[in-house]
């Protein structure tokens, strides 16, 4: 036996569901379930879990897994005729043994390619032919990269339209100690006020109650500062102009069967998304949306975390 870590390994997860474990040589790791193409774990080189998965999450198809990074496709939320957040997170994906060439600057061996195609049953609820390819990769520094490629394979010449989000649940020490930088001065739709449009006034987003907002035309980089853990998550995105910020707070947490009553204190969803302007693909056209997550130690600067260094850094 060599001491070399296996970069990609298949294993049985909760309730016997198949999962793929990715490991980087320095010790970071990620886990992806074939059910939902769903990332359920992302750990740094110290083995600390960076994503939140509810202790009450059901790993029982067709129920979506509560936490991690669910994929919202072809519909975000209830903005359309389909079930909440569409169906990609409730389907079994396949390993893509022959993915198309991937222009990538990472030499990481720790990656997996998955693919989802519609079944005859799916065509009844969303009558379009497509190929959804997902690559999940761990970079040498422990960064987690998700790249989605969605292609219209309709043979009837018809275009289709969809909305999309990486519904990322970040693990935080205490929601009331967290601030989000990079969305100030941007317009948002407030889902708690009939999607009325407002402009963000604060110099950072902080949390004192339920939040459910879709920020529009957002920058490619958003920072989430966790004061208590002295950790900053940096979310970089490409092809995804919007960003959803969500925390259910206490009342809604208690109302969700697959979510612990007090777990809202330890989670924040910041989601790279394409919602306001749905994406339309003609047959043969492909859309690509990418999200890269990194976790960096935060520096204290006059009692505050120094966000500008993070947002202006590489």
């Amino acid at each position: 036996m060599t001491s070399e870590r296996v970069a990609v390994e298949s294993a049985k997860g909760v309730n016997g569901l198949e999962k793929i474990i990715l490991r980087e040589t320095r010790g970071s790791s990620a886990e992806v379930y074939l059910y939902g193409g769903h990332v359920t774990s992302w750990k740094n080189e110290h083995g600390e879990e960076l994503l939140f998965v509810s202790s009450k999450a059901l790993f029982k198809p067709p129920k979506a897994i509560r936490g991690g990074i669910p994929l919202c496709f072809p519909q975000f939320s209830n903005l359309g005729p389909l079930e909440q957040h569409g169906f990609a997170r409730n389907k079994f994906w396949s390993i893509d043994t022959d993915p198309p060439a991937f222009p990538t600057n990472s030499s990481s061996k720790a990656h997996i390619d998955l693919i989802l195609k519609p079944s005859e049953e799916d065509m009844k609820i969303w009558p379009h032919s497509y190929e959804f390819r997902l690559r999940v990769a761990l970079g040498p520094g422990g960064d987690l990269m998700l790249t989605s490629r969605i292609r219209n394979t309709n043979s009837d010449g018809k275009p289709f339209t969809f909305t999309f989000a990486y519904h990322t649940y970040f693990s935080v020490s205490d929601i009331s100690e967290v601030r989000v930088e990079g969305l100030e001065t941007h317009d948002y739709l407030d889902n708690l006020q009939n999607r009325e449009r407002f402009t963000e006034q604060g110099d950072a987003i902080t949390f004192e109650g339920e939040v459910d907002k879709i920020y529009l035309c957002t920058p490619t980089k958003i920072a989430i500062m966790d004061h208590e853990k002295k950790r900053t998550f940096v979310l970089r995105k490409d092809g995804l102009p919007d960003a959803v910020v969500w925390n259910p707070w206490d009342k809604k947490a208690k109302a969700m069967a697959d979510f612990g009553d007090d777990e809202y204190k330890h989670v924040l969803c910041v989601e790279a998304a394409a919602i306001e302007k749905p994406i339309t693909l003609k047959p043969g056209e492909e859309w690509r949306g990418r999200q890269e997550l990194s976790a960096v130690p935060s520096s204290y600067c006059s009692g505050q975390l120094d966000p500008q260094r993070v947002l202006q850094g590489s």
Side-chain angles (χ1 to χ4, degrees), residues 19-301:
K19 67 179 179 181
I20 306 297
I21 303 167
L22 305 177
R23 291 188 187 88
E24 243 300 315
T25 47
R26 291 182 205 166
S28 58
S29 67
E31 294 186 3
V32 192
Y33 274 74
L34 293 190
Y35 177 61
H38 198 130
V39 177
T40 55
S41 174
W42 170 41
K43 291 179 180 171
N44 63 16
E45 67 272 26
H46 308 298
E48 296 168 316
E49 181 57 68
L50 303 171
L51 296 178
F52 166 92
V53 173
S54 173
S55 61
K56 295 193 167 180
L58 299 171
F59 286 74
K60 288 183 181 165
K63 179 79 180 159
I65 300 166
R66 172 72 66 188
I69 310 180
L71 300 169
C72 304
F73 170 83
Q75 176 184 301
F76 175 77
S77 186
N78 57 358
L79 297 171
L82 299 173
E83 62 187 298
Q84 173 92 352
H85 291 322
F87 49 70
R89 64 186 189 146
N90 309 82
K91 300 291 176 193
F92 282 94
W93 292 54
S94 306
I95 292 172
D96 190 358
T97 51
D98 188 24
F102 241 93
T104 174
N105 53 8
S106 165
S107 56
S108 171
K109 292 187 179 70
H111 68 260
I112 187 73
D113 289 287
L114 302 180
I115 188 165
L116 181 68
K117 294 180 183 180
S119 66
E120 283 181 28
E121 283 300 302
D122 299 342
M123 297 286 273
K124 290 175 188 166
I125 50 170
W126 201 64
H128 302 291
S129 184
Y130 65 89
E131 289 177 351
F132 184 158
R133 286 184 157 87
L134 172 72
R135 170 170 284 198
V136 182
L138 267 181
D143 295 359
L144 180 66
M145 292 159 281
L146 284 83
T147 308
S148 291
R149 294 173 161 199
I150 295 167
R151 179 178 289 277
N152 181 337
T153 55
N154 276 337
S155 54
D156 58 8
K158 286 185 181 159
F160 63 66
T161 298
F162 64 92
T163 48
F164 182 92
Y166 290 115
H167 196 323
T168 308
Y169 287 72
F170 291 97
S171 173
V172 298
S173 54
D174 180 345
I175 187 64
S176 56
E177 295 289 321
V178 171
R179 52 193 276 146
V180 177
E181 303 266 351
L183 299 174
E184 50 282 357
T185 74
H186 286 271
D187 283 7
Y188 63 86
L189 308 177
D190 193 334
N191 289 320
L192 304 180
Q193 300 192 51
N194 297 319
R195 297 205 174 88
E196 210 178 314
R197 191 174 183 127
F198 299 95
T199 302
E200 184 59 54
Q201 302 295 339
D203 59 350
I205 302 167
T206 54
F207 302 91
E208 295 162 357
E210 185 184 352
V211 175
D212 190 354
K213 297 174 178 177
I214 303 168
Y215 288 83
L216 310 172
C217 300
T218 56
T220 55
K221 201 167 175 184
I222 300 165
I224 302 151
M225 277 85 181
D226 188 338
H227 291 263
E228 222 168 280
K229 282 195 173 142
K230 295 191 174 67
R231 173 187 293 146
T232 297
F233 291 110
V234 183
L235 185 159
R236 293 177 186 82
K237 58 192 180 63
D238 188 37
L240 296 156
D242 305 323
V244 181
V245 177
W246 181 74
N247 180 289
W249 222 252
D250 54 346
K251 281 199 180 118
K252 204 158 270 185
K254 287 189 173 82
M256 291 190 283
D258 61 348
F259 197 94
D261 289 357
D262 291 326
E263 287 184 332
Y264 73 91
K265 294 173 183 171
H266 308 296
V267 64
L268 175 63
C269 288
V270 178
E271 314 167 27
I275 300 166
E276 188 196 20
K277 295 174 180 149
I279 293 143
T280 299
L281 294 179
K282 297 186 186 113
E285 286 186 335
E286 183 178 83
W287 169 84
R288 186 171 168 189
R290 187 166 178 276
Q291 161 175 293
E292 183 176 340
L293 306 177
S294 50
V296 295
S298 306
S299 59
Y300 270 86
C301 173

